[in-house]
Amino acid sequence: MKEALMYQSATSLVKILAGVKEGETVLILTDFLTDSIAKILASVTCTLGAEPITMSMLPRKGHGDALPEVVAAAMKEVDVVIAPTTFNIAHTRARQEAQKAGARVLILPESHDNILLSKGLRADFIELKPKVERVANLLTDGSSVAIRTEKGTNLTLSIRGREGRALTGFANTRDISAAHCIESSIAPVEGTAEGILVVDGSIPGIGLIQTPVIVEIKQGKAISISGGPEADAFRHVLEQKNDEQDSIFQVGEFGIGMNPECELENSMLSDEGVFGTIHIALGTNAYIGGTVKAKGHYDMVVRDATVEIDGKILLQNNDLFLR
């Protein structure tokens, strides 16, 4: 029964989200910790008359770490890349160059043996797509964002001149597609984020947050991270990057979760997509419309946020106000 359910989700991934067609070549990229689902994805690919090519690599050391050159080269030679990996490959040069070469890319970061059983994959992706695009357009047209929560988040940032991104889950040759991690997001103007972010959802590599992580941000940079054990662990992860000019501490992304089927489950694919949450990322945004190139990209998920764009409420009490 478990395998039958996994095949159902795999079909949704390969046929609907990746849009695999007869005659196409599909690279299924895994690492040594995630290759258990490669066979299922390859089997579904075969049933569609396409040719699967599986490739497994050593797990990267962190989110956004560069991929081996042989992998990057292979990604540019296929029609579709489906990448269930331990760490996020979205913010890599290899992903961007593969899409420039014409490959449609679908990523599944923080994959595990049961990733295909995630509730988020049950979403009606076709119905949600225009809503995600509408929010992305509002971000494009906006100048400033204000984020507040009852737990103490009070953060502002500029998005003037930046382009909103609609991550609808559908693989494409332009932007990130992260399966059921449906979101509308944007790269804020560097140096403009100011205030306090109280993280009570999750942080990749750290897990679900038990004790709120308090991040103080000035001139677009996290200058202090405090709270409990999770805060200590997160600060240690960032400091260990030894990033030039502390780029890993720069605010690189603002996003709004748009998948009503997703739940907080200590998986980047689900957590960032949870409807009603927002996330702020530290680190690289050069591949999503910004200028920061750091040694990683780490999203911090915040629950029950109120979001205003140019003084008008967009999100409040888990309701969207689309004008």
Side-chain angles (χ1 to χ4, degrees):
M1 182 61 70
K2 176 180 175 180
E3 189 168 301
L5 292 174
M6 293 178 75
Y7 267 98
Q8 184 179 6
S9 294
T11 299
S12 177
L13 279 172
V14 177
K15 184 177 181 179
I16 297 176
L17 294 182
V20 172
K21 304 176 183 64
E22 183 177 357
E24 290 189 315
T25 54
V26 181
L27 175 64
I28 300 170
L29 174 63
T30 65
D31 58 50
F32 299 161
L33 298 178
T34 66
D35 53 16
S36 62
I37 65 172
K39 183 178 179 180
I40 295 177
L41 295 172
S43 296
V44 172
T45 300
C46 285
T47 65
L48 297 174
E51 181 174 1
I53 301 168
T54 61
M55 178 178 284
S56 189
M57 61 182 176
L58 278 171
R60 302 297 87 191
K61 294 181 179 179
H63 298 292
D65 282 3
L67 302 186
E69 286 300 321
V70 66
V71 171
M75 291 172 65
K76 293 190 288 187
E77 297 297 325
V78 297
D79 298 299
V80 183
V81 177
I82 301 176
T85 54
T86 302
F87 292 103
N88 191 2
I89 72 164
H91 302 277
T92 63
R93 178 176 54 84
R95 187 275 299 173
Q96 186 183 51
E97 291 187 351
Q99 288 179 300
K100 286 182 179 179
R104 305 191 304 278
V105 178
L106 177 65
I107 64 170
L108 292 92
E110 295 190 340
S111 281
H112 49 79
D113 291 349
N114 292 320
I115 193 69
L116 294 178
L117 298 178
S118 175
K119 281 186 62 179
L121 288 168
R122 304 175 192 172
D124 188 335
F125 295 100
I126 295 174
E127 180 183 4
L128 289 170
K129 185 172 183 287
K131 295 179 182 179
V132 179
E133 293 172 338
R134 177 59 178 148
V135 174
N137 288 337
L138 290 173
L139 291 172
T140 298
D141 295 338
S143 296
S144 64
V145 172
I147 307 161
R148 299 186 304 277
T149 68
E150 291 186 358
K151 291 186 177 180
T153 291
N154 189 358
L155 184 69
T156 60
L157 48 88
S158 172
I159 55 173
R160 185 184 298 273
R162 292 293 166 88
E163 185 175 353
R165 304 162 58 238
L167 276 62
T168 61
F170 292 89
N172 59 81
T173 59
R174 182 172 178 269
D175 208 338
I176 297 167
S177 169
H180 50 292
C181 183
I182 301 175
E183 64 179 73
S184 303
S185 57
I186 198 165
V189 177
E190 291 75 16
T192 64
E194 295 279 346
I196 300 293
L197 186 73
V198 180
V199 185
D200 61 351
S202 69
I203 299 173
I206 304 302
L208 299 178
I209 303 302
Q210 304 300 319
T211 303
V213 175
I214 302 169
V215 183
E216 183 179 0
I217 298 170
K218 288 187 178 296
Q219 297 181 346
K221 180 181 177 181
I223 62 169
S224 73
I225 299 173
S226 60
E230 294 97 335
D232 294 339
F234 185 42
R235 187 173 57 251
H236 178 72
V237 166
L238 298 178
E239 290 173 347
Q240 288 296 106
K241 293 292 182 179
N242 293 318
D243 217 336
E244 295 180 8
Q245 300 179 340
D246 287 337
S247 296
I248 195 66
F249 291 95
Q250 298 289 331
V251 172
E253 180 186 6
F254 162 64
I256 300 174
M258 295 289 288
N259 189 337
E261 297 295 332
C262 280
E263 298 176 335
L264 286 172
E265 57 182 43
N266 192 22
S267 164
M268 182 184 301
L269 283 171
S270 291
D271 295 359
E272 290 182 40
V274 174
F275 188 87
T277 66
I278 64 97
H279 52 273
I280 295 289
L282 299 180
T284 297
N285 67 6
Y287 307 115
I288 60 172
T291 63
V292 177
K293 290 186 178 180
K295 293 180 180 179
H297 177 100
Y298 288 85
D299 296 273
M300 303 171 287
V301 177
V302 176
R303 298 184 291 180
D304 302 319
T306 294
V307 176
E308 294 181 3
I309 298 180
D310 298 336
K312 296 180 180 179
I313 292 177
L314 172 64
L315 177 69
Q316 188 175 49
N317 297 325
N318 292 330
D319 289 323
L320 270 178
F321 299 89
L322 299 178
R323 55 190 188 274

